[in-house]
Amino acid sequence: MTKAVIAKGKHRSDSTVTLKPPNRPSSILGCWVINHTHQAKKVGAYVEVTGSFDVNVWYSHHDHSKTSVFTESVPYKDKIALHYRDEPTSKQEETIVTVLQHPNCTEASISECGQHFSISIERELLVEMVGETKVSVTIHPHPYDEEWPMSAVESSSIVMEEKKAKEPHKNEHSPHPSQRRDSPF
């Protein structure tokens, strides 16, 4: 018995968030997402990941005469299905969540009514369950030597000495400065 990844799940989300700033926006000058936090718990054959992130929208208002930054925290809950390689043998599994893509603004626009922001957000999570499982080990009946490609590895000092020995001796009073043979210039 050993600990290994016994199940995985991946979830990509593209969602649209509607935000209402205190002032009627004239234009959007920038949008960014920060402060992403999350926690996970296993629920049956799924992992529930709950989290939040802050959406910041820099915008102009009052007919482009003033600018402000509007910030709102957006909560989310993702239910990620697990695909098991091996059924768990104990109930003491560890849940590991890896953020493959932090929440990110892909598009920001002003809604048709002219009073809201419509923000498109993408994010991607990977969930791994680590638990006790059995592993299979192959035993070779004969000694086994792993092959190493030694020709790909050369010592640079030996190579330079060999190159120096192969180069013809140059006249020290040459009007042209000497160029390195291993240099493209």
Side-chain angles (χ1 to χ4, degrees):
M1 297 291 282
T2 186
K3 283 196 168 213
V5 174
I6 59 173
K8 285 186 177 186
K10 191 188 227 186
H11 179 71
R12 179 173 177 74
S13 172
D14 291 306
S15 59
T16 301
V17 177
T18 302
L19 307 175
K20 183 170 181 2
N23 302 304
R24 185 180 180 96
S26 302
S27 65
I28 294 176
L29 304 172
C31 182
W32 60 96
V33 181
I34 59 172
N35 298 331
H36 178 221
T37 61
H38 64 278
Q39 53 274 351
K41 69 176 182 176
K42 185 173 183 280
V43 179
Y46 295 90
V47 171
E48 275 187 4
V49 179
T50 56
S52 68
F53 50 86
D54 294 340
V55 177
N56 296 291
V57 182
W58 180 33
Y59 69 105
S60 65
H61 50 90
H62 292 90
D63 292 324
H64 302 288
S65 64
K66 295 182 179 183
T67 65
S68 297
V69 175
F70 176 72
T71 301
E72 188 169 314
S73 183
V74 177
Y76 70 89
K77 183 181 281 191
D78 291 335
K79 191 174 180 181
I80 303 174
L82 292 173
H83 303 283
Y84 279 88
R85 171 175 286 184
D86 191 12
E87 289 299 321
T89 58
S90 71
K91 298 292 181 191
Q92 298 181 9
E93 301 151 5
E94 179 185 355
T95 305
I96 300 171
V97 178
T98 304
V99 179
L100 300 176
Q101 169 69 55
H102 281 281
N104 184 34
C105 172
T106 57
E107 185 179 356
S109 61
I110 298 173
S111 65
E112 288 185 22
C113 70
Q115 295 187 9
H116 300 90
F117 297 128
S118 181
I119 311 295
S120 296
I121 305 286
E122 69 177 359
R123 65 181 185 278
E124 188 172 11
L125 302 173
L126 172 70
V127 174
E128 294 178 317
M129 297 300 296
V130 176
E132 289 186 354
T133 185
K134 294 178 184 177
V135 294
S136 176
V137 178
T138 303
I139 300 174
H140 294 277
H142 303 288
Y144 176 75
D145 286 334
E146 190 175 351
E147 293 183 22
W148 290 74
M150 298 301 270
S151 62
V153 180
E154 294 180 347
S155 172
S156 60
S157 61
I158 294 173
V159 171
M160 291 305 292
E161 291 298 322
E162 288 176 359
K163 283 184 180 179
K164 283 182 186 177
K166 291 179 183 177
E167 287 182 8
H169 294 287
K170 294 185 180 179
N171 187 354
E172 292 179 7
H173 301 290
S174 173
H176 302 291
S178 63
Q179 293 180 326
R180 291 178 43 184
R181 290 187 181 251
D182 59 346
S183 172
F185 303 105

